[in-house]
């Protein structure tokens, strides 16, 4: 604010500035207007409302200033007018509007100043929203618009307001003048008026405005520019027309299409208007496409195409007007397909045929019609494709030279072809979700034509063709991505550990199982030469394999052109082909190797060099990056034998790229270096010492150069360090001892050690050391001194605050200690020091780090038990058993306890567990630890099994009995058939009838664990208990569960008892109390013998008893997470039918269980589910809808209350974070949709999904919360469809924000309303950040209501919105 402006202005401050507006000095006039603008903004809303004289005088002065000869003064006056409008009394607004409409300039050359002022006046007021009472200032502004502006626009009084003998207004601003035509600026005013005040317009006003627009639209004398603006006005107004008015308007449009005297220009405008309506009101126009779409398709029909080609043959040149009509028709068709895809399904064949017809349309190169249309009919055989493309290949250079010579500046047919390709892109985008892609239409009809059009001479069209083919290939891959190696800081090793710990897998419960579940960092890719993906017999990938030869040949020709955008597009297509079908280029590397490496080497590839022809975003630097990505993908997915002939050409090109000054090129080239190292070294290559030695030396030198270069970017140095780790890891072993000269190898290890001490490169160095230590095979691979130094340095990182660094360092130490070669380099002092830095991590506060630390301690105890097992470790182990442990963390803990016992140093730990912990800890964990130590330590721990059996007999304390039972159960498991005679089943079964609540359950669990070690002794006893009813039967089920769980991991032979177990489980599970545990047991038994029991499960899904069917659904779900490949082979033929039966179950609760089974199956068996998901998704969608037959009315005293029995199937039981959505035994329909979005979005129809999301925003609170989460995902997954539905989302959001709880509402209702508003504001911010143009004043036909909603939120929720924007920003960082 200027210093001369007071904080609380008065009318006197305004009056003082007015004389200066007439000053002769233009600068003084401008500064005075600026001060006036600041005064008006600083003043209160009512500071001028009672001073009519000042208001009138200010208006007059500003109107005179609008006619100023200086443009800057005029612009400032318009700003002041907007600020003044909000301060004026209501009585002054109509005269102001009238004067603005009649304003005539004499000094200014800008004739649009009046319209600009009117538009500023209109947009100054808050936009009204449908269903919300507008503010008083907005109502006053609308009154002025209603009385003055609309009559001035149309030329007559629309709403008389009860006044008689009113003078007729002057001619309407939208009326067509015989000499001047239509005022273009008046249409701009009309568009702004509708956009801002559309919700307040009354029906007569809408009809009057529509009539005025249509008169402009239908008049032959108006220019094309004016008519295009009229189309925009119609599209904006259509959003506010009633259904009846819209139907009438569509009927009139159809009559216009059917007119006998329809001229080409009028036809084009009608088509453009309909296409614009499809984008502005897709949901409302969709039902009318049955009658509208045929008129657009008629323009693109074969009949009209033939007529046009006949005329072309006669006239020798195409008719420009005809081509403009075709272009408009294709644009409208693209709008129909993109915005109203469901309504266009009935026209699928016609739309594809029309688009294909004009993809090849080229009047300058017209050929026989059959040749033009050959691609549209599909190919009968691959030979036809190959022969045709071979002929093209023989003349490729001549073709391009000839086509380049045919370029004609007057030829606009390329616009038609480009629009046709865009229509095909929309078809692929909207109809590849298990629809046209799976039935082969996209590859049979569209793909061959796109391939034949690679020779398109116009680059804009060619780039669209390549982008469309890329989209098709990407859809074929269903989200397949090539996992990158490398030291990205965003990777949290402990997070992956946690993910593994949540999954149940069939593996031994020991330390080795934990090791295998974690794996080693960055060493899994490239160990074996990758095998090419076999071509499937049918399906999209089989179609892609059939067309791959033709695609590669066509792209090879494009790669030989000089155009950077075309090369980049061709490389992108090849890249996605490699991702979708590994090894697919093995037979074609000879064709593409030279042009791709030339692209890598491109001398013009500088970040500032941009192409001037075609894709503006294509630069030489981006071309090199994409070419390097392709080379890396090829190296990672193709065998070394296939790459062998081209290595001598690839390596020098990549080395040159590594040295590039542009950091992005250099960084991507280092990724390729890693891939090349894998290719050049065993086991992928068997000849490292001889053939590839020089290449490895050169790669080592360039990587070391980038690491130590002071001018290299940090990202380049970090990736170079990782690449060096890969190189040192791959050359480990005697077979590669000569791969690097000793002094070079020693230098490389020194560099890694040095980089580990640098703050900026430490994380990358840790990951590199991890790879080196995990890969060492011989003593010569690692120097003991180097191992000791890096071990202590890695241990020092465990004290750092950076969680990712700590987790990565711990994983590196785990791999170092797991490798005997690396562990052998540690002396007793180093082991002791390492144990000391690890000890603080042995606490239950962070289970992710705890599991890794326990594994490392296990290796260290085996190495030096007396140096490691001390008082500190003993106390730490006793502390962690005070908390519950599970999964791989419990396995790691028990593995460490077992090793301590085996090494003979377990007696102190045993005494501490019994005396210091005892019954104070988690009884199950403490019991397992003591039982494990008792068996592993044997006589060295000072206790025997008899001590615990005696404790069980004599103790009366419940907790002591439970602990003794847990110890005996674990001991029985580990001793197996060697168990002492006193450890009989009766030891446990005698406590089944204890009066305690805890002892019977502990006895059942212990009986099961002991029985898992000695099946023949225990299982018959357990089965005999299952005959009983009540608690004994329930407890026996828990014992059976323990046995089955252990048998599934160790593959214990249960075949003599499986049928007997099955029968007992089926009978026992009939009870409601036993259903859950019985279902789990049945599922685990099915995993053990799937051939026998899977068909049984399928038959039981038809059982007439609902509880039996529910139990079977739960049992089936248990099989998905723990089963292996052999189980999948038996499950595959029947799974889809089983899920379909489950989802169609008549019982509501069973359908809810079925939704949980579907999510579990999708998560664990994606290769079986995803190809058939299209037939399951509609069943899920159906459950998300409100079903009137399930809504009933209940009388509650004097009141009637509606109860929706289907609500439980729709709503969320509790709001869960996404990772936990797959862990429950049941799901709601919306939870299921949310889960499927993350892993199978390409199989879901986006329009149907958005419809359910929008409907969910109007449902119960829990469903609204989940729909908000779904919207945040959809912003990323499908931004185009998200923009299409912004208006519908805005209406729902507005209703949520407008809801106010009643004064007597309970606390929970108030909290729900607050939470709902907060969630809506967060999603609003995310949508605004993702699509800022939709919230701006720029013309956007998709989001008219969204703009109004955003403005109202900014006005009414300013503080909350600012806080939410900051929260979103913090989450993003």
């Amino acid at each position: 604010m200027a210093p001369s402006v007071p904080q609380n202005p008065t009318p006197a401050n305004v009056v003082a500035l007015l004389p200066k507006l007439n000053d002769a000095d233009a600068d003084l006039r401008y500064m005075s207007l600026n001060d006036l603008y600041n005064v008006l903004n600083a003043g209160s809303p009512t500071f001028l409302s009672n001073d009519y004289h000042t208001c009138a005088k200010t208006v007059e002065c500003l109107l005179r200033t609008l006619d100023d000869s200086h443009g800057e003064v005029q612009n400032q006056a318009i700003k002041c007018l907007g600020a003044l409008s909000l301060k004026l009394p209501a009585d002054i607004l109509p005269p102001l509007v009238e004067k603005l409409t009649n304003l005539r300039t004499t000094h200014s050359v800008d004739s649009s100043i009046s319209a600009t002022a009117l538009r500023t006046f209109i947009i100054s007021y808050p936009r009204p929203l449908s269903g919300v009472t507008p503010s008083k200032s907005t109502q006053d502004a609308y009154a002025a618009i209603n009385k003055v502006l609309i009559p001035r626009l149309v030329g007559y009084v629309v709403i008389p307001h009860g006044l008689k003998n009113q003078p007729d207004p002057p001619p309407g601003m939208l009326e067509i003048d015989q000499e001047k035509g239509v005022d273009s600026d008046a249409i701009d005013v009309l568009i702004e008026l509708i956009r801002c005040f559309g919700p307040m317009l009354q029906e007569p006003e809408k009809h009057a405005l529509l009539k005025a627009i249509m008169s402009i639209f239908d008049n032959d004398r108006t220019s094309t520019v004016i008519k295009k603006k009229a189309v925009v006005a119609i599209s904006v107004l259509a959003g506010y027309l009633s259904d009846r008015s819209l139907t009438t308007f569509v009927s009139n449009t159809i009559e216009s299409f059917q007119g006998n005297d329809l001229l080409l220009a009028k036809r084009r405008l009608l088509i453009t208007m309909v296409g614009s309506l499809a984008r502005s009101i897709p949901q409302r126009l969709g039902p009318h496409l049955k009658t509208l779409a045929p008129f657009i398709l008629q323009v693109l029909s074969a009949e009209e195409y033939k007529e046009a080609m006949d005329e072309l043959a006669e006239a020798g040149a195409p008719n420009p007007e005809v081509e403009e009509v075709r272009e408009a028709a294709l644009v409208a068709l693209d709008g129909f397909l993109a915005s109203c895809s469901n309504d266009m399904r009935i026209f699928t064949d016609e739309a594809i045929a029309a688009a294909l017809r004009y993809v090849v349309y080229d009047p300058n190169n017209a050929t026989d019609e059959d040749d033009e249309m050959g691609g549209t009919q599909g190919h009968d055989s691959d030979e036809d494709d190959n022969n045709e493309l071979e002929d093209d290949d023989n003349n490729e250079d001549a073709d391009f030279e000839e086509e380049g010579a045919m370029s004609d500046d007057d030829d606009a047919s390329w616009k038609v072809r480009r629009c046709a390709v865009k229509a095909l892109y929309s078809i692929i985008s909207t109809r590849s979700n298990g629809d046209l892609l799976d039935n082969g239409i996209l590859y049979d009809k569209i793909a061959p034509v796109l391939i034949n059009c690679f020779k398109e001479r116009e680059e804009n069209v060619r780039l669209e063709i390549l982008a469309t083919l890329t989209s098709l290939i990407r859809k074929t891959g269903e989200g397949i991505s090539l996992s990158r190696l490398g030291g990205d800081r965003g990777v949290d090793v402990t997070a992956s550990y946690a993910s593994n710990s949540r999954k149940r897998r069939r593996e031994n419960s020991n330390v080795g199982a934990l090791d295998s579940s974690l794996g080693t960092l960055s060493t899994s890719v490239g160990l074996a030469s990758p095998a090419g993906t076999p071509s499937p017999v049918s399906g999209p990938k089989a179609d892609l394999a059939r067309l791959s030869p033709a695609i590669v040949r066509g792209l090879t020709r494009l790669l030989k052109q000089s155009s950077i955008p075309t090369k980049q597009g061709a490389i992108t297509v090849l890249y996605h082909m490699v991702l979708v079908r590994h090894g697919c280029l093995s037979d074609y590397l000879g064709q593409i190797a030279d042009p791709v490496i030339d692209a890598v080497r491109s001398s013009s590839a500088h970040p500032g060099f941009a192409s001037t022809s075609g894709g503006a975003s294509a630069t030489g630097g981006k071309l090199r990056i994409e070419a390097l990505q392709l080379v890396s993908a090829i190296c990672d997915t193709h065998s070394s034998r296939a790459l062998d002939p081209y290595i001598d050409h690839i390596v020098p090109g990549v080395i040159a790229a590594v040295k590039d000054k542009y950091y992005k090129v250099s960084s991507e080239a280092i990724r390729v270096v890693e891939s090349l190292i894998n290719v050049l070294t065993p086991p992928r290559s068997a000849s490292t010492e001889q053939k590839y030695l020089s290449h490895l030396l050169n790669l080592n030198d360039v990587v070391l150069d980038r690491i130590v270069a002071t001018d290299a970017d940090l990202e380049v140095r970090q990736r170079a360090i990782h690449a060096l780790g890969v190189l040192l890891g791959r050359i480990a072993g005697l077979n590669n001892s000569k791969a690097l000269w000793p002094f070079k190898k020693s230098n490389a290890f020194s560099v890694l050690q040095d980089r580990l001490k640098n703050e900026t490169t430490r994380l990358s160095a840790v990951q590199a050391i991890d790879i080196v230590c995990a890969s060492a095979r011989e003593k010569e691979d690692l120097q003991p001194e180097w191992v000791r130094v890096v071990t202590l340095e890695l241990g020092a990182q465990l004290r750092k605050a950076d969680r990712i660094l700590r987790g990565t360092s711990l994983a590196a130490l785990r791999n170092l200690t797991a490798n005997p070669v690396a562990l052998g380099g540690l002396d007793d002092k180093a082991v002791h020091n390492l144990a000391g830095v690890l000890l603080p991590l042995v606490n239950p506060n962070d289970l992710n780090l705890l599991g890794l630390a326990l594994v490392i301690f296990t290796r260290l105890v085996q190495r030096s038990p007396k140096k490691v097992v001390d008082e500190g470790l003993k106390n730490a182990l006793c502390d962690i058993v005070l908390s519950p442990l599970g999964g791989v963390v419990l396995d790691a803990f028990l593995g460490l306890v077992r090793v301590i016992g085996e090494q003979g140093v377990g007696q102190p730990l045993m005494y501490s567990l019994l005396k210091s912990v005892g019954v104070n800890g988690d009884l199950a964990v403490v019991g397992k630890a003591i039982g494990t130590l008792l068996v592993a330590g044997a006589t060295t721990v000072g206790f025997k099994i008899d001590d615990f059996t005696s404790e069980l007999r004599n103790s009366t304390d419940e907790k002591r009995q439970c602990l003794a039972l847990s110890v005996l159960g674990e001991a029985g498991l580990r001793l197996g058939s060697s168990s002492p005679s006193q450890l009989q089943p009766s030891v446990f079964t005698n406590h089944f009838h204890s009066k305690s609540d805890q002892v019977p359950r502990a006895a059942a669990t212990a009986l099961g664990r002991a029985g898992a070690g000695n099946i023949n002794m225990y299982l018959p006893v357990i089965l005999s208990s299952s005959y009983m009813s009540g608690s004994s039967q329930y407890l026996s089920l828990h014992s059976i569960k323990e046995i089955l769980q252990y048998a599934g991991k160790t593959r214990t032979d249960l075949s003599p008892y499986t049928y007997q177990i099955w029968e007992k489980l089926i009978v026992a599970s009939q009870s409601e109390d036993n259903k859950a545990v019985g279902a789990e047991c049945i599922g685990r038994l099915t995993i053990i013998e799937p051939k026998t029991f899977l068909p049984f499960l399928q038959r039981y899904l038809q059982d007439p008893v609902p509880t039996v069917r529910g139990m079977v659904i739960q049992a089936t779900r248990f099989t998905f997470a723990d089963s292996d490949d052999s189980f999948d082979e038996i499950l595959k033929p029947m799974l889809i039918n089983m899920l379909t039966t489950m989802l169609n179950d008549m019982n509501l609760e069973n359908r809810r269980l079925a939704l949980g089974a579907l999510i579990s199956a999708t998560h664990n068996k994606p290769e079986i589910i995803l190809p058939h998901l299209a037939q399951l998704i509609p069943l899920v969608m159906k459950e998300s809808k409100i079903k009137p037959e399930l809504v009933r009315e209940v009388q509650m005293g004097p009141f009637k209350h509606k109860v929706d029995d289907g609500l439980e199937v729709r709503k969320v039981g509790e709001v869960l974070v996404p990772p936990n959505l797959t862990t429950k035994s049941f799901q709601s329909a919306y939870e299921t949709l949310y889960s499927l979005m993350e892993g199978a979005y390409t199989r879901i129809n986006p329009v149907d999904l958005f419809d359910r999301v929008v409907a969910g925003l109007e449902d119960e609170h829990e469903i609204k919360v989940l729909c908000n989460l779904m919207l945040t995902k959809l912003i990323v997954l499908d931004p185009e469809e998200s923009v299409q539905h912004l208006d519908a989302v805005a209406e729902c959001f507005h209703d949520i924000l407008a809801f106010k709880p009643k004064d007597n509402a309970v606390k929970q209702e108030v909290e729900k309303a607050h939470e709902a508003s907060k969630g809506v504001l967060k999603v609003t911010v995310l949508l605004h950040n993702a699509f800022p143009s939709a919230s701006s004043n720029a013309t956007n036909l998709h989001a008219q209501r969204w703009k109004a909603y955003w403005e109202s939120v900014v006005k009414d929720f300013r503080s909350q919105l600012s806080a939410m924007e900051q929260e979103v920003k913090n989450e993003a960082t």
Side-chain angles (χ1 to χ4, degrees), residues 570-613:
I571 287 174
T572 302
V573 176
L574 289 171
Y575 178 73
H576 286 283
M577 285 181 63
V578 172
L579 295 189
V580 174
R581 292 193 63 247
H582 292 184
C584 65
L585 299 182
S586 297
D587 297 333
Y588 315 107
L589 290 176
Q591 301 177 40
I592 67 171
D594 288 343
V596 170
I597 296 302
D598 289 343
V600 171
R601 293 174 176 269
S602 177
S603 60
S604 62
H606 187 275
F609 176 82
S611 170
T612 58
S613 60

Side-chain angles (χ1 to χ4, degrees), residues 760-780:
T760 59
T761 58
R762 181 170 290 147
L763 180 62
S764 299
V766 171
Q767 293 173 336
I769 291 170
D770 182 3
I771 297 171
V772 173
C773 293
S775 305
R777 305 172 192 172
E778 306 292 340
K779 292 183 179 180
E780 292 77 8

Side-chain angles (χ1 to χ4, degrees), residues 823 857-865 898-899 902-903:
L823 185 61
F857 263 114
T858 302
R859 301 301 182 190
L860 295 181
V861 170
Q862 290 175 327
R863 171 70 171 76
S864 301
R898 176 180 55 81
V899 171
E902 290 173 348
Q903 297 297 324

